[in-house]
Amino acid sequence: MNAVNGKDASAEAQALQAVEAHDADMLRHLNGLVGLLTEAVEAGDPGAGQETQAALLDWCDKELVPHALAEEGPLYSGPHGMPEARLLVDGMLAEHQVIVGLVDELRTADGVAAAVAAGAIQRIFALHLDKENRLLMPFVVASPGLSLAQAVEGLHELVGEGAAHHHGQGHHGH
């Protein structure tokens, strides 16, 4: 074990890489769906717009919102208890509320309003991931009392299906 701050540095690095890779995959998928919806609206094709909007809502309900809720558990609870990260976590929790509100708005919107809501979800999620990857996760990795590897272990919503069972040590974060 390559220990840093009493943690397995290799496990921390693997967890960081898994979360970042999963985040990038999610953003790529979201960008694609939002692009298709925007193209359908610009082309004046309501059928394609409704179909793409339904696919985007399905993805938000099955991937985006569960991802946000999973973050609010073990990934956010540790840093939130530390004064130097509390405000960052509070801000990120507020972004979750905005994203969920925009998904609800997308649910009842159509045409241009749907494309606008989708674009807002896309941009806020991209900003949120940037904060998570540049600020929050490096803080967790660097903090002696926190472990990113333990916080995300078993949570496929945060690391993807393949990495969720990578460590296989029976601890599932809850």
Side-chain angles (χ1 to χ4, degrees):
M1 175 161 93
N2 179 11
V4 175
N5 294 330
K7 298 186 278 191
D8 180 344
S10 174
E12 293 297 299
Q14 286 177 346
L16 184 60
Q17 189 276 328
V19 172
E20 288 176 340
H22 182 61
D23 286 352
D25 286 345
M26 288 186 70
L27 188 56
R28 244 187 320 276
H29 196 83
L30 177 59
N31 289 345
L33 288 169
V34 171
L36 289 172
L37 177 57
T38 302
E39 289 171 13
V41 169
E42 287 175 344
D45 185 344
Q50 290 170 354
E51 185 178 313
T52 306
Q53 182 177 350
L56 176 56
L57 281 167
D58 184 62
W59 183 83
C60 287
D61 290 340
K62 291 180 179 172
E63 299 293 331
L64 183 60
V65 173
H67 175 88
L69 294 176
E71 286 178 342
E72 291 180 5
L75 182 60
Y76 284 15
S77 61
H80 192 258
M82 302 175 77
E84 58 269 47
R86 184 170 293 120
L87 290 176
L88 172 62
V89 175
D90 284 345
M92 296 179 77
L93 289 167
E95 289 168 357
H96 285 175
Q97 292 175 346
V98 170
I99 290 169
V100 169
L102 286 166
V103 170
D104 287 341
E105 187 177 313
L106 176 65
R107 202 172 308 285
T108 59
D110 60 356
V112 172
V116 169
I121 292 167
Q122 176 188 27
R123 283 176 180 79
I124 291 172
F125 186 59
L127 174 67
H128 182 77
L129 292 182
D130 182 61
K131 285 182 192 173
E132 186 176 290
N133 293 335
R134 281 187 320 103
L135 302 172
L136 184 67
M137 290 189 307
F139 174 82
V140 171
V141 169
S143 296
L146 302 175
S147 169
L148 183 62
Q150 287 179 359
V152 302
E153 188 172 353
L155 294 174
H156 69 88
E157 299 90 350
L158 300 183
V159 296
E161 290 294 338
H165 305 289
H166 180 74
H167 301 293
Q169 297 168 349
H171 176 80
H172 295 287
H174 290 289

